[in-house]
Amino acid sequence: MGLFGSVQGLNILIGIIRNKLVAILLGPEGMGFMSLLNSIIKLMSDSTNLGISMSGVKKISEAYEQNDKTTVNQTVRIVRFWSLLTAIAGMALCILLSPLLSRLSSDSTDYTFYIILISPVVAMLAVTGGETAILKGTRELRSLASVSLYGVAATLVLSVPLFYIYGYRGIIPSLLLVAFAQMFITLNHSYRLFPLHLTNPRQTLSKGYDMIILGVAFVIAGIMGSGTEFLIRAYLNKVGGIDVVGLYNAGYMMTITYAGMVFSAMETDYFPRLSATGNDISQRNLTVNRQIEMSLLLLSPMLVAFMVGLPVLLPLLYSGKFMPAIGMMQVTTLALYLRAVKLPIAYLPLASGDSKSYLLLESIYDVVLLLLSIVGYTYWGGLTGMGIAILLTAFLDFILLTAYTRWKYGYSISSPVIRYTLYQIPIGVIAYIVSIQTQGVIYWGGGIALALLSAGISVYTLHQKTKLWTKLKKKITGKADRA
């Protein structure tokens, strides 16, 4: 977590710089158009990748835990073969469905040509996802960290000059170049560790069926998730205009996406570890609860500081044109507390290979989010209502997840998790009240005090549980001695 936390911190910093420049160069309308294209890419990618990016991790991780190099190499070849098939199929399907996707986005065929142009991105994402699964399953954490860092740097270097020179017209070339760069960087690391070997297509095809059967649930859940995001943006485009989509995307990026990068840092090591516990209920529960503890303790102080700092951060990181999204972002930040608790639990069906449960839970979440988003925007105050919808969906999902996983997998929340939740979430709620009800000295004084209180609780707890200061002192003094 330290390794990936540092890398994702740099990723977020680079992403912030990129989004600031893009916001200035394109404005809400340009960001809205790019957001729509990205939602189409994600929908088509999730619909056609057969879930290899997740099921491949599980399959490779199981062989890796047994130290079976022959099986690992064989599974790597299977993952690569199926990734190539899904890449070709995804690109072809994106082209075939381009008129329909355009009509769903804008009630016209105006976007058809644009969707055809971005279809290679779907193919490149499939290849990248397969190679990333190989690196995750074999615990090549440093390679994954390098890929992540170089990928986000390439995104900045390639996209911003295109937007500066070509403006709106640079969006599609940017999407293509960034996808190619990320695929190239991932392949470079993966092929170095596992060189490409040609295999018999028939044998490879048949040996990958069990992985694909598990992956089908990921595909359907991916379609539901990406479809939900696509339909939300399409709905906002129709009732509010492309600029509202841009505002929503800015709020979503600064809350869910940036926080998601932190969660991704945790997931990279967590999912293979959880998969390796097998059917050992006590060990599995211990792994899940420890992950929740770390997630909650590390994220809570950041969430308070983020919520309080939004009036400065939003115009600083984007521009003053995006201030209408601040109400949505303040509410959505509260949903991230629940996400920190429920996300480790949500991996239980995946680690258990229970595709039906995974699909059921994800489908319920997506349907509820879509319905509440429409209701929230229409009746609960526009974009702020969207934030309320995200928070309410997260709460309902948390209740469902904890009840279902207790019944299905024997999972129970530990007393330390309950204790830390009762410490940190009320601080977040008070910070939200301060952020919407006060101004001036009371706002900043109260907000800073709450952030320090949250940080103090987290640091004290981490020290008690991990002897943090002792380990840090040993590392520092050890380095000094060697010097």
Side-chain angles (χ1 to χ4, degrees), residues 110-128:
D110 293 347
Y111 289 173
T112 302
F113 183 60
Y114 300 136
I115 295 170
I116 292 172
L117 289 177
I118 61 174
S119 61
V121 177
V122 178
M124 289 185 277
L125 286 177
V127 174
T128 304

Side-chain angles (χ1 to χ4, degrees), residues 174-317:
S174 166
L175 292 172
L176 291 166
L177 282 173
V178 166
F180 177 79
Q182 290 175 340
M183 180 182 71
F184 177 81
I185 292 166
T186 308
L187 286 171
N188 183 47
H189 281 78
S190 181
Y191 279 17
R192 228 184 292 167
L193 295 164
F194 300 94
L196 182 64
H197 293 290
L198 298 178
T199 57
N200 187 319
R202 288 187 180 180
Q203 292 181 359
T204 308
L205 194 67
S206 62
K207 289 178 180 177
Y209 284 149
D210 58 335
M211 180 180 70
I212 299 308
I213 290 170
L214 176 60
V216 167
F218 301 145
V219 173
I220 300 173
I223 294 171
M224 294 285 291
S226 302
T228 297
E229 280 304 315
F230 172 70
L231 290 174
I232 288 173
R233 285 168 170 80
Y235 170 76
L236 292 176
N237 187 31
K238 291 178 181 179
V239 300
I242 197 70
D243 55 331
V244 173
V245 180
L247 292 170
Y248 169 78
N249 193 63
Y252 196 89
M253 282 288 293
M254 281 191 66
T255 51
I256 302 297
T257 303
Y258 284 159
M261 295 175 76
V262 178
F263 291 128
S264 175
M266 300 174 183
E267 173 266 336
T268 302
D269 180 56
Y270 169 65
F271 180 48
R273 279 192 293 110
L274 184 62
S275 297
T277 60
N279 295 320
D280 187 336
I281 294 176
S282 61
Q283 186 61 36
R284 191 168 58 196
N285 285 354
L286 181 64
T287 303
V288 174
N289 285 321
R290 280 180 173 173
Q291 190 70 19
I292 297 173
E293 291 174 26
M294 292 301 294
S295 299
L296 197 59
L297 291 170
L298 290 175
L299 278 174
S300 294
M302 301 180 198
L303 294 178
V304 175
F306 176 77
M307 190 188 303
V308 173
L310 272 174
V312 175
L313 290 172
L314 184 56
L316 178 66
L317 303 182

Side-chain angles (χ1 to χ4, degrees), residues 232-421:
I232 288 173
R233 285 168 170 80
Y235 170 76
L236 292 176
N237 187 31
K238 291 178 181 179
V239 300
I242 197 70
D243 55 331
V244 173
V245 180
L247 292 170
Y248 169 78
N249 193 63
Y252 196 89
M253 282 288 293
M254 281 191 66
T255 51
I256 302 297
T257 303
Y258 284 159
M261 295 175 76
V262 178
F263 291 128
S264 175
M266 300 174 183
E267 173 266 336
T268 302
D269 180 56
Y270 169 65
F271 180 48
R273 279 192 293 110
L274 184 62
S275 297
T277 60
N279 295 320
D280 187 336
I281 294 176
S282 61
Q283 186 61 36
R284 191 168 58 196
N285 285 354
L286 181 64
T287 303
V288 174
N289 285 321
R290 280 180 173 173
Q291 190 70 19
I292 297 173
E293 291 174 26
M294 292 301 294
S295 299
L296 197 59
L297 291 170
L298 290 175
L299 278 174
S300 294
M302 301 180 198
L303 294 178
V304 175
F306 176 77
M307 190 188 303
V308 173
L310 272 174
V312 175
L313 290 172
L314 184 56
L316 178 66
L317 303 182
Y318 284 84
S319 73
K321 296 178 182 178
F322 291 86
M323 287 301 288
I326 195 169
M328 168 191 165
M329 295 169 67
Q330 288 168 329
V331 182
T332 304
T333 304
L334 290 177
L336 296 178
Y337 281 96
L338 293 171
R339 188 176 177 87
V341 177
K342 71 187 183 74
L343 195 61
I345 304 172
Y347 277 96
L348 279 170
L350 298 177
S352 304
D354 187 356
S355 57
K356 291 180 181 178
S357 294
Y358 172 74
L359 179 58
L360 173 66
L361 294 168
E362 287 296 306
S363 299
I364 293 172
Y365 174 84
D366 292 328
V367 170
V368 172
L369 176 62
L370 177 60
L371 294 176
L372 287 179
S373 294
I374 294 172
V375 172
Y377 185 82
T378 307
Y379 300 106
W380 298 342
L383 287 174
T384 301
M386 297 288 289
I388 296 171
I390 292 171
L391 174 60
L392 186 55
T393 304
F395 177 73
L396 295 174
D397 187 48
F398 169 71
I399 298 297
L400 175 62
L401 263 176
T402 51
Y404 187 89
T405 53
R406 183 176 182 82
W407 166 72
K408 186 76 174 180
Y409 311 110
Y411 169 71
S412 58
I413 298 178
S414 65
S415 55
V417 168
I418 295 173
R419 187 164 64 250
Y420 305 151
T421 301

